[in-house]
Amino acid sequence: MSLKDLLADHDLTIPVYQRPYSWTDQQVIPLMSDLYKAKKGDTLVMGSLIFHRNGSLTDIVDGQQRLTTFAILHRLLNTGASNFLMKRPFRYLSAQENVRKNAALINDMIKKKGGGPELDFADIFFIVLYAPDLDDAFAFFDSQNSRGKRLDDHEILKAHHLRYIADPALAEDCAVKWQSLEKDPALKIGTLLGSILGRGRKWGRKEYRELDIKKEFRSQRIHRSDRSGYLMNRYQQAPLFRTWRYDPVSGKGLELFFDRHDGIYRSGSILINDDALLSLPLQITQSLEGGESFFWFTQKYYQLYKQIIVGNKLGPFFRELETNLKHFDHNTGTRYVHELFVAAVIFYVDKFGHEEADYVLACLFFTCYHLRFKQPTVQYSSVYRYIREEHNPFALIERAGHPDYIVERCNVLLEGAYREQNIKSNSIREKMRISLFEDPEHAFFLGHRHLLPRSLSFLARL
């Protein structure tokens, strides 16, 4: 299909799941150079595009960056002319800024060259593939050697769930909020879904194959759904209550005690005002209905991560431990182990909350960091092997009905651990051991002896 026909197709649209327009001079200048090299009457084939019919519109799955750049050029060469780009405003400020910058860059090139490229838009062609459904569209996209940047798995997952949202305004809101999470440097969304949530889900089920987040977080919906509420199964409830008791002898029956919430209690419902995201009836281990609930799931656990790691919600012990561990972040293997520890902490807090959690957190620390102390080198594959063959805190938490069970099992599992010999002088392991256990004035756990697992009490005497 010719570029002339494509630009005239006002049904073309950039769907909400697409990343913002991000081309800079590094992509625009080579494209313009190719156009200026061509002579009038030449035929230029600019690669493939992948489209998906979406009702009356045609979504651009692959080719957004190139088509947007050509639309800018078309507008500059044909004052007042309209194309598909002019019909729908960009939703992201970064995209609007890149359009302005590239328009100025292309306009400057046109002035320096004394005019636009000789080649007519009718002689510029693309191979256009129309995918029957969105899953096929992304399968085509993955198999193409596109000039654009390949979509990451979490971006494909975003598109997969957006397709199940019937309300366009809700889909737009979910996409914009997702984009704001992607821009936060505190945590990459791929890391959240992969290393923290996805691996914990699989390891909690004792599944040890390599994680594919597209499969792990796939929607269970088949069709779009218009609804005013969402069905909760009997295992899936909002975390509104802290404790409960059942006293059939006195005739009181079941009594539920609320957690601290700022809420409005109505007849038949409760409206939660504070920490509404964290109160959503969603659990890390649950299967996902999909659609908008996937985006709320992602936002909930992003918020929980920020609350625990950035906001120090777990109190002074965890805050001081994290501060100590940050001194060793320069070592790649130690970062892998720390990522494992953080994932286990979030897995635990999601199930049991954060009240009086210090002793369990200490047990999880020793369970996860034993990998760091027993091996001189830790690779990404080492973490999988350790979880599969030695200690799996996620399966332990999943199995537990009470935090005391985790503590007791850790005491058994850690028997004989942390007695490793032949640790090289000045190695990362020796530095951590001194910082955590041996420095007579500053060793972290010398100030927290009461939190040492029973089987590791000898560490307090080092």
Side-chain angles (χ1 to χ4, degrees):
M1 182 179 291
S2 74
L3 178 60
K4 181 179 179 180
D5 291 338
L6 285 167
L7 292 175
D9 184 353
H10 294 287
D11 291 333
L12 279 180
T13 186
I14 300 170
V16 293
Y17 55 76
Q18 282 284 19
R19 64 165 63 93
Y21 176 66
S22 59
W23 268 23
T24 66
D25 56 350
Q26 293 185 356
Q27 292 82 30
V28 173
I29 291 174
L31 176 65
M32 292 298 296
S33 297
D34 288 345
L35 295 179
Y36 274 111
K37 287 176 185 175
K39 304 298 180 184
K40 189 174 181 64
D42 288 350
T43 298
L44 196 61
V45 179
M46 299 298 296
S48 63
L49 305 171
I50 300 175
F51 294 163
H52 170 241
R53 301 280 191 195
N54 183 10
S56 61
L57 301 176
T58 301
D59 289 344
I60 303 170
V61 177
D62 178 32
Q64 177 217 163
Q65 307 287 333
R66 286 169 289 159
L67 283 177
T68 299
T69 306
F70 274 119
I72 295 169
L73 174 62
H74 175 258
R75 180 77 171 177
L76 291 171
L77 294 176
N78 302 275
T79 304
S82 178
N83 58 54
F84 79 94
L85 194 64
M86 307 300 128
K87 295 293 183 180
R88 296 170 184 87
F90 287 95
R91 59 182 64 87
Y92 301 115
L93 293 176
S94 61
Q96 297 172 19
E97 181 62 21
N98 285 327
V99 168
R100 284 192 291 269
K101 287 181 178 178
N102 289 338
L105 173 64
I106 294 171
N107 194 46
D108 187 54
M109 293 181 74
I110 290 171
K111 289 179 179 178
K112 288 181 179 178
K113 296 282 188 180
E118 295 180 9
L119 199 60
D120 193 281
F121 281 13
D123 295 321
I124 300 173
F125 290 89
F126 290 87
I127 300 167
V128 178
L129 302 175
Y130 285 89
D133 61 50
L134 199 55
D135 288 340
D136 287 337
F138 284 115
F140 290 157
F141 180 75
D142 274 348
S143 67
Q144 296 297 310
N145 184 21
S146 171
R147 292 182 69 164
K149 180 187 173 186
R150 183 187 180 279
L151 285 175
D152 293 322
D153 285 349
H154 66 269
E155 293 174 302
I156 295 175
L157 196 59
K158 174 184 72 170
H160 168 77
H161 284 280
L162 282 171
R163 67 186 291 199
Y164 293 105
I165 303 177
D167 182 350
L170 180 56
E172 177 97 7
D173 182 71
C174 288
V176 169
K177 285 184 172 142
W178 178 281
Q179 180 65 19
S180 69
L181 296 188
E182 285 188 315
K183 291 163 65 176
D184 191 330
L187 176 66
K188 293 181 179 178
I189 201 163
T191 301
L192 175 68
L193 291 173
S195 299
I196 294 177
L197 301 179
R199 292 194 310 182
R201 283 163 60 98
K202 285 180 71 71
W203 291 341
R205 303 191 301 263
K206 294 188 176 181
E207 295 178 7
Y208 303 113
R209 294 184 301 275
E210 191 72 27
L211 172 68
D212 180 349
I213 64 169
K214 299 193 300 297
K215 292 180 179 178
E216 181 63 31
F217 294 103
R218 188 178 181 85
S219 173
Q220 290 191 346
R221 285 191 195 174
I222 300 174
H223 306 292
R224 289 182 174 186
S225 176
D226 280 312
R227 61 182 70 186
S228 58
Y230 301 88
L231 181 67
M232 288 194 294
N233 62 52
R234 295 298 182 182
Y235 293 156
Q236 175 191 343
Q237 300 293 324
L240 301 180
F241 305 100
R242 179 182 298 176
T243 56
W244 62 277
R245 66 184 176 206
Y246 179 56
D247 188 0
V249 176
S250 67
K252 288 183 179 180
L254 175 64
E255 192 171 8
L256 304 174
F257 296 88
F258 281 102
D259 205 341
R260 293 187 298 271
H261 282 289
D262 175 17
I264 299 173
Y265 301 88
R266 299 169 170 172
S267 176
S269 68
I270 304 171
L271 178 63
I272 302 299
N273 294 322
D274 68 323
D275 284 340
L277 275 175
L278 294 175
S279 299
L280 287 170
L282 303 169
Q283 288 80 49
I284 290 177
T285 54
Q286 73 176 80
S287 299
L288 293 173
E289 177 186 345
E292 58 272 26
S293 64
F294 166 74
F295 294 95
W296 297 332
F297 174 90
T298 306
Q299 289 177 55
K300 172 177 178 173
Y301 289 106
Y302 178 87
Q303 191 70 26
L304 182 60
Y305 174 92
K306 292 290 289 288
Q307 187 184 76
I308 290 173
I309 303 302
V310 181
N312 301 313
K313 182 73 172 180
L314 291 180
F317 167 71
F318 186 77
R319 180 174 65 249
E320 292 167 21
L321 177 59
E322 280 290 285
T323 300
N324 193 292
L325 295 175
K326 281 181 182 177
H327 296 146
F328 307 100
D329 268 359
H330 63 279
N331 180 269
T332 302
T334 305
R335 285 201 304 272
Y336 291 150
V337 175
H338 182 254
E339 205 170 62
L340 172 68
F341 172 54
V342 168
V345 169
I346 290 175
F347 205 76
Y348 170 79
V349 172
D350 185 52
K351 183 170 183 178
F352 291 106
H354 53 75
E355 299 293 334
E356 301 177 0
D358 287 357
Y359 201 47
V360 178
L361 298 180
C363 288
L364 292 177
F365 165 80
F366 283 106
T367 301
C368 296
Y369 270 82
H370 183 225
L371 171 61
R372 172 67 281 182
F373 281 98
K374 80 185 191 72
Q375 291 186 194
T377 302
V378 175
Q379 299 176 334
Y380 192 74
S381 58
S382 306
V383 177
Y384 274 84
R385 188 165 55 252
Y386 180 75
I387 292 291
R388 183 179 65 246
E389 299 175 4
E390 298 191 47
H391 302 318
N392 182 346
F394 302 92
L396 183 60
I397 295 166
E398 178 69 6
R399 203 162 56 235
H402 190 278
D404 285 352
Y405 176 81
I406 300 171
V407 172
E408 286 305 309
R409 289 304 303 159
C410 284
N411 268 313
V412 173
L413 294 170
L414 292 170
E415 188 70 46
Y418 287 85
R419 297 181 183 274
E420 288 75 19
Q421 303 298 319
N422 302 319
I423 294 179
K424 289 183 179 180
S425 175
N426 208 36
S427 67
I428 188 72
R429 291 191 295 164
E430 184 195 46
K431 291 176 181 177
M432 290 188 71
R433 192 178 183 103
I434 291 172
S435 176
L436 292 169
F437 312 124
E438 296 179 2
D439 186 326
E441 295 184 8
H442 305 293
F444 176 77
F445 275 101
L446 293 185
H448 297 280
R449 288 181 176 88
H450 63 291
L451 295 177
L452 286 170
R454 185 177 63 252
S455 56
L456 299 181
S457 58
F458 71 91
L459 290 172
R461 300 189 294 272
L462 290 177

